[in-house]
Amino acid sequence: MLPLRQLLIYKAAGWSGFFVMGVELLGGRLLAPFFGNSIFVWGGVIAVFMACLSVGYLLGGRLSLQQPSLTQLGLLLLGEALLALPIILLGDTVLEGLSEVVPDPRYGSLLGSLLLFGAPTVFSGMISPYAVRLLIVALDSSGLAAGRLYFVSTLGSAAGTLITSFYLVLYLEIHTILLCLMAISASIGLALMVLDRLPAHKLQRLQRPAR
């Protein structure tokens, strides 16, 4: 059985993959009333998410060099949750105004995606490289740790894609789904921060198997 610390790190990486794919799919639904549902719109959405994830990977790797901790990883999860809040509060207003200024669905969807989804996606991208650094305890095991973590993260992305598109959108409103995604990100982030502050003897007690 994995130690609780490692288990939560893997959970954070897997959930960040789920979160970003869930938001990406919902993003297309949010853009549709204003810019349509054509390949242009989806091209803009995918391009923004890929570009912002790549920026997040770079920033997460740099941040991991500065005294990495579970608390900082937890703050990244809280950040992705809080930065997704404007999607709910301002999404329709921003997209409606943007559709009047930039009616072309190619550039309107590209700019709308960047404004609403760019910041939380960057934070989501920062989580995996930062988590890899927390898992590495020796150079000879660094490749294995990175491989396992990106496996979990990508598996989370696949789960987020299927569960969001096959089930969640059928039973829940878009804003309700976003709130649920944000709440889970915040919960995992807070759990990491609490775990980081637990005394060693309490942490060992939590990791003992129940009799």
Side-chain angles (χ1 to χ4, degrees), residues 65-159:
L65 300 176
Q66 303 172 10
Q67 298 181 335
S69 67
L70 291 181
T71 295
Q72 287 189 349
L73 181 61
L75 288 172
L76 291 178
L77 280 135
L78 285 174
E80 74 174 5
L82 291 175
L83 289 170
L85 193 57
I87 301 173
I88 297 173
L89 299 178
L90 304 172
D92 288 346
T93 303
V94 169
L95 293 175
E96 184 177 2
L98 194 60
S99 65
E100 296 176 0
V101 177
V102 189
D104 190 317
R106 295 171 297 177
Y107 306 111
S109 62
L110 192 68
L111 188 55
S113 297
L114 183 61
L115 289 174
L116 291 179
F117 315 124
T121 305
V122 168
F123 267 66
S124 294
M126 293 173 71
I127 290 169
S128 288
Y130 194 92
V132 167
R133 178 64 183 84
L134 289 172
L135 288 173
I136 293 175
V137 293
L139 284 177
D140 58 359
S141 64
S142 59
L144 179 60
R148 284 176 175 171
L149 189 130
Y150 281 104
F151 166 78
V152 171
S153 177
T154 305
L155 202 61
S157 296

Side-chain angles (χ1 to χ4, degrees), residues 3-85:
L4 182 59
R5 181 179 184 275
Q6 290 186 27
L7 193 61
L8 265 179
I9 292 171
Y10 281 118
K11 187 172 184 178
W15 175 252
S16 73
F18 190 110
F19 177 90
V20 76
M21 289 309 301
V23 173
E24 183 174 353
L25 287 169
L26 296 175
R29 295 285 294 270
L30 288 168
L31 289 164
F34 305 98
F35 298 105
N37 198 33
S38 67
I39 193 171
F40 300 129
V41 174
W42 279 108
V45 171
I46 293 170
V48 165
F49 273 79
M50 296 300 292
C52 291
L53 282 173
S54 66
V55 172
Y57 297 149
L58 181 62
L59 294 177
R62 287 183 176 274
L63 184 63
S64 71
L65 300 176
Q66 303 172 10
Q67 298 181 335
S69 67
L70 291 181
T71 295
Q72 287 189 349
L73 181 61
L75 288 172
L76 291 178
L77 280 135
L78 285 174
E80 74 174 5
L82 291 175
L83 289 170
L85 193 57

Side-chain angles (χ1 to χ4, degrees), residues 182-193:
M182 292 161 56
I184 295 173
S185 288
S187 298
I188 298 173
L190 289 172
L192 286 162
M193 295 168 71

